[in-house]
Amino acid sequence: MNTQLLDRESEISDVIEIINTVTEKSKIIFLTGISGVGKSGLIEKLTLCPLLKNVIIPVKISKSSVDTIENLQYFNAIYKAVTKYARTKMFDKILSPTQQGIKNGKNLCRIVTDIIKSKLGLNEVTFFAEPEEHESIIRKKEYLSYILKKTNVILDVENIQNIDTQSFEILKEVILESTNNTFIFEYTLSKNSFEHYENMYKEFKEVNSEIWCYKVDKMDFLIAKRLAPRNILINEERLYALYEKSEGNLMEIILANADIKTYTSNITTKLNSLSKNEKYILYIVYLNDSPICYDKLAIMTIIESSEKIIKDFELLKCLVNELCDKKILVMDKDFVKIKHDSIIESLEHNIPTPILYCAYATIKEYYNKRLGSEPVAVEKLLFLYLKFSDQELLTFLEKVKEFVLNLKYPDLILKKLEHFREDMLCVGFNGFNGTYYLTLMIVEICLNKKMGAEAQKNLDLIFDECNAYHIALQAQILSLCENQESHEALQKLILKTPTNSRLQLVCEICILYLKTKLFPSAQTKLYGEKLIKNSSYQEYPEYAFLLRNYAELCDDTEICNNLYMKALDIFEQNNMFHEMATVYISLSMIHAYNGNIALANQYIEDALSLDNSEVSMCYILNNKSTLQILENSYNETTEKNLRNALLLSVSKYEKLIVNANLLVYYCLIDNFTKAKEIAYNIENSNYEDFKYEELLHIIYQNLYYFYSVFEHDNDQKTYYYNQILILVDSPNIRESTKELASGMNHLIESQTFYAQFPYRVDFLGYWEFTIDSTLSY
């Protein structure tokens, strides 16, 4: 939009006043209004205002993104925008991501060592600079926070209403760490968005910021009509009717035409009037679902496409310029993008045409050729295949699975995959055969993400009681539940499996995991002991999982150590390096309980050296922080690591453990405000759904410690002390837990390392395992 024509002086003055308000916190401004009312135009004009002291960093995200990319779309866009600003405007004041990553001696030594090893042919080189797509979430988040602490900027994020869940979590954490910045969130209101808007507002209130809400109202038509094309005669009465009908969408005026019809949007009319070649280029940009580099557009449409419509570079240049002149596209340096979300909305509702399918074939061909070399190719193709119900999706399910497993919240993508399956089933019997492996993949992803109900729903569609792998998957689904009905169902399932078979062992491991959540450890340990002694099970590789999990139930350190070492041997013989890493994490835990912090730290490093890609960083960050608290070396990094562990956590159990540790940290540094917030979160988490006494003792002990340190609620302090006593007096609780709880609370004399603390910081370890898809009876 031509910002010179927008009469927003009053709005500019209001927003400037908010920005210049002096506070000790960061400021959040919700800029609300309907689509096309002029929110982004207002920001553009604000950028030019001489009274504005700080730089505005725009983060452009199309309104359609919620339909296409589920996780980290917003966070990655924010990271790229802020990093680009830092590199171009602050290069003399601020470290680059690479410099930030290697500024301490330990990281630099690691990189130099890796380079030397690579010269000797021992391993691949560690590059000083990695593509942004390869950066870890936490490294991006830390760097983003680092930049924002170094400068006073205004971060403007478009279409905040569509932000994905994980980006939202990280953004709140970034704002919490920032104290001198302004965040403008453009929220596009719709008829059904009020409740969502209210909830988002409430959640942002929790990040210790000052919040303002500013609504951008419809511009007066007498001013807005000056945005209409001047080279044609326009019926102002009809234009006014359309403008009112759209509740003030300025695109209805910008794309006005000589033959306005009050029953048809001017946007639709404009798109329908485009030539075949113009539509082709527009569809390419639209299907790419983001600004597209002009050079990439040229390669797609001229050099590589077998569906060539555009014959030469000069024609492409003319078409892009023509679409820009018609206010459909805009050129932003070397990138081409659609001018406004209203155009995208109209394209979404258009009836598919041969030109659209031709554009689809072109862009699909481009990304297919780059599946192995361009990280974004899988994501782009998945979006395209789902949008067009293309059966080619079934040919690269492994890559789809890898992509979806990297999402923290895969719910939306899984729903789209299920909808895609429904479309395929309409084809008939062949459709069913083709979607079997898709359904199996969905089950496996759901199990990995601990989405038991979704996994069950999909497994029911393909379940074959004669298929051993299906039975094992059913057992694993039941193991995720936390009720007696699932336990009984799993018992019946085990009875149907061949005695002493590999399948029966897998099901037994599942029920052992379920028992830890439903029954006291002593009872579960007896069951595990029976399994360990079954010599028939020892011939199967899954026996290592049984050893690893049973060790968690043992009190004797030497017995635990021996079990872990046996498990390590089996995993090593089968080249199961990720599983070896999980054992090292468990070894770290048992040595920490005995006070050998140095060895515990070493085992964590061993786990990372074996598997630095798949091992849970949530576990690593939490466990390292726990060790720092135990050795009294905690600092701001401890808090940062624990909060990052929360961002990466998936299950309720993980969140409880990390929050319990964070509660102790805030008590230790005497931060009542933050400790109270964490205590509230724990107390309102329904933690008592878990019957595992180790977890219950951790929660009771740390809440008792919290109320003891701050002494603001003696009733609560007494309540948690009594809960600890109930645990101690229970005949079903394992002896080591009784001893620890008694020692911590001075009920008995204890020389154990952990008993010296009035709190119980604790670790996260592995119980889950992956079932071999080739499993047979």
Side-chain angles (χ1 to χ4, degrees):
M1 295 176 188
N2 187 341
T3 54
Q4 301 303 317
L5 295 178
L6 302 184
D7 182 27
R8 293 292 192 185
E9 300 305 323
S10 173
E11 290 89 340
I12 292 290
S13 177
D14 292 342
V15 175
I16 287 285
E17 184 178 347
I18 295 172
I19 291 172
N20 290 338
T21 301
V22 178
T23 70
E24 295 181 356
K25 306 173 183 178
S26 283
K27 292 188 278 287
I28 293 175
I29 303 172
F30 272 103
L31 202 66
T32 65
I34 65 150
S35 178
V37 77
K39 298 185 294 297
S40 296
L42 176 61
I43 296 299
E44 287 179 33
K45 192 162 186 180
L46 182 67
T47 304
L48 302 173
C49 181
L51 296 176
L52 187 69
K53 299 174 184 177
N54 300 332
V55 174
I56 293 180
I57 302 176
V59 181
K60 303 291 186 182
I61 302 179
S62 74
K63 188 178 178 182
S64 66
S65 293
V66 70
D67 259 347
T68 55
I69 309 301
E70 168 135 320
N71 283 349
L72 295 174
Q73 166 79 347
Y74 277 69
F75 173 64
N76 284 331
I78 292 168
Y79 173 78
K80 288 177 181 178
V82 175
T83 302
K84 180 180 178 182
Y85 167 77
R87 288 172 178 168
T88 56
K89 304 294 185 183
M90 304 177 60
F91 56 87
D92 58 335
K93 301 177 185 178
I94 200 161
L95 298 176
S96 70
T98 301
Q99 291 169 326
Q100 172 74 358
I102 65 172
K103 66 180 180 179
N104 66 63
K106 183 178 179 182
N107 283 348
L108 185 58
C109 286
R110 177 183 62 79
I111 291 174
V112 171
T113 301
D114 284 351
I115 291 173
I116 293 171
K117 284 182 178 180
S118 72
K119 296 290 185 185
L120 299 173
L122 298 177
N123 68 314
E124 294 182 359
V125 64
T126 298
F127 291 99
F128 279 89
E130 297 178 89
E132 285 176 339
E133 291 82 3
H134 293 165
E135 299 275 9
S136 72
I137 295 170
I138 296 305
R139 184 176 172 189
K140 287 180 180 179
K141 178 243 170 186
E142 294 298 333
Y143 185 63
L144 183 57
S145 296
Y146 165 74
I147 294 173
L148 293 177
K149 285 178 183 177
K150 291 285 184 179
T151 180
N152 295 325
V153 295
I154 301 169
L155 194 66
D156 170 58
V157 184
E158 283 187 339
N159 289 309
I160 195 69
Q161 74 279 358
N162 289 337
I163 190 169
D164 56 270
T165 307
Q166 195 171 9
S167 291
F168 186 45
E169 290 176 346
I170 299 172
L171 181 57
K172 287 196 296 180
E173 194 68 19
V174 168
I175 296 172
L176 190 65
E177 295 176 8
S178 171
T179 57
N180 58 336
N181 301 112
T182 299
F183 299 85
I184 298 177
F185 297 140
E186 298 180 41
Y187 192 109
T188 299
L189 294 169
S190 64
K191 293 177 181 177
N192 303 316
S193 64
F194 184 74
E195 185 178 351
H196 178 269
Y197 172 65
E198 286 285 298
N199 290 336
M200 180 175 282
Y201 176 85
K202 289 174 184 175
E203 291 213 42
F204 272 120
K205 281 198 75 171
E206 296 173 4
V207 297
N208 196 31
S209 295
E210 298 286 350
I211 301 183
W212 286 264
C213 298
Y214 191 85
K215 185 178 180 183
V216 181
D217 291 318
K218 177 177 65 177
M219 189 181 296
D220 189 285
F221 178 71
L222 292 176
I223 298 171
K225 71 178 182 178
R226 288 154 53 190
L227 291 172
R230 298 187 176 186
N231 58 343
I232 55 176
L233 189 62
I234 294 174
N235 185 316
E236 283 196 15
E237 187 177 335
R238 292 181 183 177
L239 182 60
Y240 174 73
L242 267 185
Y243 183 63
E244 289 295 307
K245 185 178 179 181
S246 71
E247 298 181 18
N249 188 339
L250 293 170
M251 290 304 295
E252 290 290 354
I253 293 179
I254 292 170
L255 298 182
N257 57 84
D259 187 25
I260 296 174
K261 298 178 176 63
T262 55
Y263 56 83
T264 303
S265 164
N266 283 331
I267 302 167
T268 302
T269 302
K270 189 75 170 183
L271 293 180
N272 290 339
S273 71
L274 296 178
S275 69
K276 178 180 74 173
N277 286 354
E278 287 172 337
K279 286 179 180 177
Y280 177 68
I281 294 300
L282 175 60
Y283 285 143
I284 293 284
V285 179
Y286 161 64
L287 291 177
N288 194 64
D289 192 51
S290 64
I292 184 170
C293 175
Y294 184 84
D295 290 342
K296 183 185 282 191
L297 181 62
I299 292 170
M300 280 185 189
T301 56
I302 301 172
I303 299 174
E304 295 190 353
S305 173
S306 60
E307 302 289 335
K308 286 182 184 176
I309 292 181
I310 312 305
K311 303 299 182 183
D312 55 50
F313 292 101
E314 194 59 38
L315 177 56
L316 175 63
K317 183 179 178 181
C318 290
L319 288 168
V320 171
N321 288 337
E322 186 66 23
L323 285 165
C324 289
D325 290 342
K326 291 181 177 180
K327 314 296 184 186
I328 301 297
L329 296 181
V330 290
M331 282 288 293
D332 184 5
K333 295 181 180 176
D334 295 328
F335 286 84
V336 183
K337 59 184 180 182
I338 294 174
K339 183 174 179 65
H340 195 266
D341 290 332
S342 300
I343 297 172
I344 296 173
E345 281 188 58
S346 184
L347 288 170
E348 290 284 348
H349 293 103
N350 270 5
I351 298 172
T353 65
I355 298 296
L356 175 65
Y357 284 103
C358 191
Y360 169 57
T362 296
I363 197 168
K364 181 174 75 169
E365 179 183 14
Y366 175 86
Y367 283 116
N368 259 314
K369 288 180 179 179
R370 286 157 178 80
L371 261 178
S373 59
E374 199 168 322
V376 76
V378 173
E379 186 178 312
K380 293 290 187 184
L381 284 171
L382 176 58
F383 157 60
L384 289 167
Y385 289 153
L386 289 173
K387 189 175 187 67
F388 287 85
S389 299
D390 192 329
Q391 293 190 44
E392 280 192 43
L393 186 151
L394 301 174
T395 65
F396 80 135
L397 288 179
E398 278 305 310
K399 291 185 182 296
V400 172
K401 181 179 178 181
E402 182 181 347
F403 170 72
V404 179
L405 284 175
N406 284 326
L407 305 178
K408 182 178 178 181
Y409 299 105
D411 311 61
L412 183 58
I413 292 291
L414 290 176
K415 282 188 176 68
K416 287 181 175 294
L417 286 168
E418 290 174 354
H419 182 71
F420 170 84
R421 180 181 59 207
E422 290 172 13
D423 289 344
M424 291 299 97
L425 289 174
C426 291
V427 175
F429 185 69
N430 289 333
F432 176 78
N433 288 341
T435 56
Y436 167 78
Y437 291 104
L438 171 62
T439 305
L440 197 61
M441 181 194 76
I442 294 173
V443 173
E444 292 166 345
I445 291 170
C446 290
L447 280 170
N448 182 278
K449 298 297 182 181
K450 300 182 176 68
M451 299 167 62
E454 284 298 308
Q456 186 68 68
K457 180 182 74 174
N458 282 278
L459 182 61
D460 287 345
L461 296 175
I462 58 171
F463 187 76
D464 177 1
E465 61 183 11
C466 297
N467 187 312
Y469 185 47
H470 287 191
I471 293 170
L473 290 174
Q474 180 63 76
Q476 198 169 24
I477 291 171
L478 291 170
S479 74
L480 293 177
C481 303
E482 290 157 13
N483 53 61
Q484 288 293 336
E485 292 78 12
S486 297
H487 184 263
E488 291 169 10
L490 195 42
Q491 283 179 316
K492 292 176 182 176
L493 195 65
I494 290 171
L495 292 174
K496 294 179 181 179
T497 59
T499 304
N500 296 333
S501 64
R502 185 182 177 196
L503 174 60
Q504 189 173 73
L505 170 60
V506 167
C507 294
E508 292 282 22
I509 296 171
C510 291
I511 202 169
L512 187 68
Y513 176 42
L514 180 56
K515 283 177 179 291
T516 62
K517 294 184 280 186
L518 297 180
F519 304 116
S521 295
Q523 184 178 338
T524 307
K525 185 185 174 187
L526 283 174
Y527 192 87
E529 191 174 347
K530 179 191 73 172
L531 301 179
I532 289 289
K533 291 179 178 178
N534 188 332
S535 58
S536 298
Y537 288 157
Q538 296 177 19
E539 64 181 278
Y540 306 122
E542 285 80 9
Y543 186 69
F545 291 115
L546 180 59
L547 290 168
R548 184 197 69 184
N549 293 0
Y550 175 71
E552 295 282 336
L553 301 167
C554 297
D555 293 329
D556 188 286
T557 301
E558 188 175 348
I559 293 174
C560 284
N561 198 68
N562 290 338
L563 290 167
Y564 286 136
M565 289 304 172
K566 287 179 182 178
L568 271 177
D569 287 341
I570 298 172
F571 287 141
E572 188 170 16
Q573 290 166 20
N574 290 276
N575 295 320
M576 299 167 73
F577 299 112
H578 169 70
E579 286 71 21
M580 289 176 67
T582 68
V583 176
Y584 280 128
I585 289 173
S586 296
L587 281 165
S588 171
M589 292 160 56
I590 64 165
H591 287 291
Y593 286 131
N594 289 324
N596 195 339
I597 305 300
L599 184 56
N601 272 311
Q602 182 56 54
Y603 275 127
I604 289 180
E605 294 303 321
D606 291 343
L608 287 171
S609 66
L610 271 172
D611 180 15
N612 199 17
S613 59
E614 292 187 22
V615 70
S616 170
M617 287 311 299
C618 169
Y619 289 16
I620 296 296
L621 293 170
N622 176 79
N623 294 3
K624 280 189 171 184
S625 300
T626 298
L627 294 174
Q628 286 181 321
I629 293 174
L630 290 174
E631 65 179 357
N632 200 35
S633 63
Y634 55 87
N635 51 37
E636 289 180 358
T637 303
T638 309
E639 177 189 17
K640 188 178 293 183
N641 285 344
L642 285 171
R643 297 198 76 96
N644 286 339
L646 270 182
L647 288 175
L648 298 175
S649 62
V650 175
S651 70
K652 178 181 172 182
Y653 183 88
E654 291 167 0
K655 284 181 169 62
L656 281 170
I657 292 291
V658 179
N659 268 319
N661 292 336
L662 202 50
L663 177 62
V664 171
Y665 172 80
Y666 286 134
C667 289
L668 288 171
I669 65 169
D670 200 30
N671 189 327
F672 172 70
T673 302
K674 289 188 175 180
K676 182 182 179 183
E677 176 191 334
I678 298 297
Y680 176 84
N681 290 340
I682 294 172
E683 289 177 317
N684 289 275
S685 65
N686 296 322
Y687 63 86
E688 288 181 321
D689 289 347
F690 293 95
K691 305 305 178 186
Y692 185 40
E693 72 267 23
E694 296 292 303
L695 175 68
L696 292 177
H697 178 232
I698 292 165
I699 300 299
Y700 295 151
Q701 191 70 49
N702 291 347
L703 287 171
Y704 171 63
Y705 175 62
F706 163 70
Y707 286 111
S708 299
V709 168
F710 295 109
E711 297 181 347
H712 290 293
D713 193 330
N714 280 320
D715 289 342
Q716 286 294 86
K717 176 183 173 182
T718 302
Y719 171 78
Y720 290 114
Y721 183 73
N722 288 335
Q723 293 302 113
I724 294 169
L725 291 181
I726 291 171
L727 280 180
V728 170
D729 294 335
S730 173
N732 298 318
I733 301 302
R734 63 196 287 185
E735 287 303 315
S736 59
T737 305
K738 287 185 180 184
E739 253 185 73
L740 182 56
S742 299
M744 281 183 167
N745 296 286
H746 311 295
L747 301 173
I748 61 170
E749 290 277 338
S750 177
Q751 300 300 314
T752 60
F753 172 71
Y754 247 63
Q756 68 177 293
F757 301 102
Y759 47 78
R760 183 173 175 180
V761 286
D762 222 278
F763 303 88
L764 286 168
Y766 285 86
W767 271 88
E768 300 81 6
F769 68 103
T770 302
I771 299 170
D772 184 354
S773 60
T774 64
L775 181 69
S776 62
Y777 285 99

